[in-house]
């Protein structure tokens, strides 16, 4: 068996890893659909397109893991890499599974534990965009520019570990760049956008290098090598363009919320001034005099009424000042 044939045997799914991943992906899709249905049943809003996105991502993982992948050995591997490491992670992250889990879980140990994990310091560092990009792209460079790719062709366990890393690193990078679910810290748009550009450049350079030279220790046909490299290059560009679109949409929504908050603060600042102007008019003085005469009795009670009235006015003024800030 040649090196290319051995790798073809690996990517067509004759091991235990592929069926397990496929079943796990389909179970995850069913769990997500059930949770979203429960959320809507109790009256909460959860967009249906998120369920479609998660189902599509899970189906893509199942097909890439256990289904027949078209093309030669290297092209089939690159198609699998593009689905597991880039396309499926984007579809899964867009569905916001962490947000759904936090909303469906009742207050208790499970919800507090999940929230504590999402806000923990290790999770914060792992979702730091440059570090997530290094784990993702660094692993790909290590895979394709060393003997690791050749070694995993003959070792099913190593093959499973490598592909699990590709998918986990792709999920981590996509999550860090999109930043849709509630986490400890939301890194700025500039950092995430710059990281996405740098990661895209590194991915493109790697694809071009594979077009000219195969991974060390392998022997693929030139046509297969070129086609697989083009799948990696152009397919990666499409997914990265989709990630950039998500970033642009999040920026647009953020700026819209900021402008709305500014308008509300401006409106709240104008309302107290109008109320204060009305209170200073002649009618207010007449009403205050009437209230003073109506409470005339003992000096102690009248003084207490004036103190209580002054306290109420000061409380209202402080409350209105707080709304206007």
């Amino acid at each position: 068996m040649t090196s290319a044939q051995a790798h073809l045997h690996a990517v067509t799914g004759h091991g235990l890893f592929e069926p397990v991943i496929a079943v796990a992906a389909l179970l995850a899709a069913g769990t997500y659909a059930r949770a979203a249905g429960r959320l809507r049943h109790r009256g909460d809003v959860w967009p249906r397109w998120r369920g479609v996105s998660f189902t599509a991502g899970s189906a893509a993982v199942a097909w890439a893991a256990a289904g027949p992948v078209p093309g030669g050995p290297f092209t089939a591997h690159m198609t699998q890499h593009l689905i597991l490491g880039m396309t499926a992670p984007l579809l899964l992250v867009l569905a916001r599974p962490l947000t759904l889990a936090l909303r469906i879980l009742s207050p208790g140990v499970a919800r507090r534990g999940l929230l504590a994990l999402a806000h923990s310091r290790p999770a914060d560092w792992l979702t730091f965009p440059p570090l997530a990009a290094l784990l993702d792209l660094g692993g790909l460079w290590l895979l394709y520019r060393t003997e690791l790719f050749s070694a995993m062709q003959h070792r099913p366990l190593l093959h499973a570990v490598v592909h699990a890393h590709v998918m986990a690193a792709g999920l981590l990078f996509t999550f860090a760049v999109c930043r849709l679910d509630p986490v400890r810290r939301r890194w700025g748009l500039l950092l995430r956008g710059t990281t996405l550009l740098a990661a895209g450049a590194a991915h493109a350079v790697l694809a071009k290098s594979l077009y000219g030279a195969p991974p060390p220790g392998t022997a693929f046909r030139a046509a297969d090598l070129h086609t697989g490299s083009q799948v990696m290059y152009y397919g990666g560009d499409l997914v990265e363009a989709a990630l950039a679109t998500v970033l642009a949409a999040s920026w647009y929504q953020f700026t819209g919320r900021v402008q709305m908050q500014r308008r509300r603060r401006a409106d709240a600042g104008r309302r107290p001034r109008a109320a204060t102007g009305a209170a200073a008019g002649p009618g207010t003085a007449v009403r205050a005099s009437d209230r003073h005469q109506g409470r005339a009795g003992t000096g102690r009670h009248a003084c207490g009424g004036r103190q209580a009235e002054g306290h109420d006015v000061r409380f209202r003024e402080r409350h209105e000042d707080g709304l206007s800030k």
Side-chain angles (χ1 to χ4, degrees):
M1 181 182 293
T2 65
S3 177
Q5 289 173 340
H7 184 64
L8 177 61
H9 177 81
V11 298
T12 49
H14 295 286
L16 181 62
F17 168 73
E18 290 82 2
V20 170
I21 290 298
V23 171
L26 296 178
L27 288 177
T31 303
Y32 185 99
R34 182 180 179 184
R38 287 180 55 189
L39 203 64
R40 296 191 194 96
H41 181 71
R42 72 185 190 190
D44 292 345
V45 177
W46 191 257
R48 295 188 180 276
W49 69 263
R50 293 180 184 172
V52 174
S53 179
F54 195 90
T55 302
S58 301
V61 171
W63 176 69
V69 184
F74 192 70
T75 302
H77 168 81
M78 278 304 171
T79 303
Q80 189 180 45
H81 150 76
L82 185 66
I83 294 173
L84 291 177
M86 301 187 74
T87 307
L90 177 59
L91 292 172
L92 296 175
V93 168
L94 287 177
R96 302 189 182 185
L98 178 59
T99 302
L100 177 62
L102 290 173
R103 289 183 61 180
I104 201 64
L105 289 174
S106 58
V109 177
R111 191 180 188 277
R112 288 196 302 269
L114 182 60
L115 193 60
L117 179 62
H119 291 173
S120 64
R121 191 173 297 273
D124 184 35
W125 280 109
L126 284 174
T127 54
F128 179 54
L131 180 59
L134 180 63
L135 293 175
D136 188 16
L137 274 299
L140 293 181
W141 276 86
L142 180 66
L143 174 63
Y144 295 120
R145 296 288 73 178
T146 66
E147 299 285 342
L148 180 60
F149 186 83
S150 177
M152 80 173 193
Q153 297 177 8
H154 311 285
R155 300 175 185 176
L157 181 59
L158 181 60
H159 176 268
V161 170
V162 167
H163 280 278
H165 170 79
V166 167
M167 184 173 178
L171 278 170
L172 186 64
F173 174 73
T174 307
F175 184 89
V177 169
C178 293
R179 219 62 167 187
L180 299 176
D181 283 311
V183 288
R184 174 177 178 146
R185 185 184 310 178
R186 290 188 177 274
W187 301 100
L189 180 68
L190 179 60
L191 177 63
R192 290 183 287 147
T194 304
T195 303
L196 178 60
L197 288 176
H203 193 267
V205 170
L206 178 59
K208 289 183 177 181
S209 70
L210 289 172
Y211 189 91
T218 61
F220 295 104
R221 292 184 296 105
D224 185 24
L225 182 67
H226 294 168
T227 303
S229 302
Q230 289 172 345
V231 168
M232 182 180 183
Y233 183 86
Y234 293 109
D237 283 350
L238 289 175
V239 178
E240 288 153 8
L243 281 171
T245 303
V246 173
L247 278 180
S250 64
W251 170 81
Y252 180 80
Q253 292 175 355
F254 174 76
T255 54
R257 288 194 298 266
V258 170
Q259 292 177 0
M260 184 178 295
Q261 291 173 359
R262 289 176 179 173
R263 285 195 297 267
R264 288 176 178 174
R265 285 196 294 265
D267 293 341
R270 286 192 294 269
R271 283 195 295 269
R273 287 196 294 271
T276 303
T284 304
V286 172
R287 288 193 298 272
S289 176
D290 292 342
R291 286 196 300 268
H292 176 68
Q293 293 176 1
R295 285 195 300 269
T298 63
R300 180 178 180 182
H301 289 113
C303 181
R306 286 193 297 271
Q307 289 176 352
E309 182 181 353
H311 175 74
D312 292 340
V313 171
R314 288 193 299 273
F315 176 78
R316 288 195 298 270
E317 290 176 350
R318 287 197 301 269
H319 180 65
E320 292 171 351
D321 290 341
L323 289 177
S324 63
K325 292 181 180 178

